[in-house]
Amino acid sequence: MEFGLKIFLKGMAICYLFYDSYKACLLLVPFAVMDYKKLKKVKMEKVKKRLILEFKALMEALAASLRAGYALEKAFADAKKDLELIYDKKAVIFEELNSILSGLGMNMELEILLKDFGERSGIDDIRNFANVVAVAKKSGGNVVRVIEKTVNCISDKLAVEEEIGTLIAAKKLEERIMMVMPYGIIFYLRISNGEFLQVLYHNGLGIILMTLFLAAIHIAEIWAARIMEIQV
């Protein structure tokens, strides 16, 4: 199971530090579910960031092909050749390009294929590009100019995101340290003076207090992540 090992190790550490019993794993199911959702979200965000960079490169390659006289549908096949010189064939963009080229080979409309690409990616820039291309093709607009504007918009957005990331990098590091500190403090107390915490183990009140403490840590972690999540 994806992320299973990481969640399992964290669960074992919590059972040892907060409950002094591995039977307490049953109490940790809600926290494990939250951790899984968080890790999945982080992975999806990384995939999206990688895809938007690859999409920008695709737009640049499409613009070059259109300037060379290719029709938009044919430009996708030519752009794929250019991208193969830049990215590994396992890159996400190639899966999407293959889907588009396969659809074109079956005489599907490019607008529908791009719209489907945008919906599956969950990226607003790709959705907007698909909508603009659909309008431009119907009205006879300048598709090359549309693509160049898309590239410029994505470039500006990436530059802003990079600047924001640089500005809050130190705060993110502080947030990670603060989230680890409660576990470190309890571990230190268990190693240095184990009897100090025994009153919180193996009794109803102690279990309730430790569970509330653990819940507070998770709430603080979610809150901190939302504060650091700045949409551009």
Side-chain angles (χ1 to χ4, degrees), residues 98-199:
N98 289 334
S99 178
I100 291 172
L101 293 173
S102 177
L104 291 174
M106 294 185 288
N107 296 320
M108 293 179 66
E109 293 184 0
L110 178 61
E111 299 92 313
I112 295 175
L113 296 170
L114 288 175
K115 184 178 180 181
D116 183 55
F117 175 24
E119 292 300 325
R120 283 186 286 105
S121 68
I123 297 173
D124 289 335
D125 290 320
I126 300 177
R127 289 197 194 103
N128 294 336
F129 172 72
N131 293 332
V132 173
V133 167
V135 173
K137 288 196 71 178
K138 288 179 181 178
S139 62
N142 190 332
V143 180
V144 177
R145 189 173 180 183
V146 168
I147 291 174
E148 288 177 342
K149 282 190 174 182
T150 302
V151 172
N152 290 334
C153 288
I154 294 174
S155 298
D156 292 342
K157 183 177 179 180
L158 291 174
V160 172
E161 287 180 347
E162 186 177 352
E163 185 175 352
I164 292 173
T166 301
L167 292 173
I168 67 173
K171 296 299 181 183
K172 282 187 174 182
L173 179 59
E174 290 176 11
E175 181 258 335
R176 292 193 188 101
I177 293 172
M178 289 180 68
M179 290 303 102
V180 172
M181 278 182 63
Y183 301 96
I185 291 171
I186 296 176
F187 179 73
Y188 173 76
L189 290 173
R190 289 214 62 175
I191 296 300
S192 62
N193 190 4
E195 295 179 358
F196 182 79
L197 293 176
Q198 286 303 314
V199 68

Side-chain angles (χ1 to χ4, degrees), residues 3-13 25:
F3 313 126
L5 180 59
K6 185 179 289 187
I7 293 173
F8 173 77
L9 292 175
K10 183 177 180 180
M12 291 298 100
C25 287

Side-chain angles (χ1 to χ4, degrees), residues 42-66:
V42 169
K43 182 181 178 181
M44 289 301 298
E45 288 300 321
K46 287 181 179 179
V47 171
K48 282 185 178 182
K49 286 182 179 180
R50 190 163 65 245
L51 180 56
I52 195 65
L53 288 171
E54 294 167 0
F55 179 70
K56 177 190 170 187
L58 172 62
M59 293 297 97
E60 292 171 344
L62 283 174
S65 297
L66 289 170

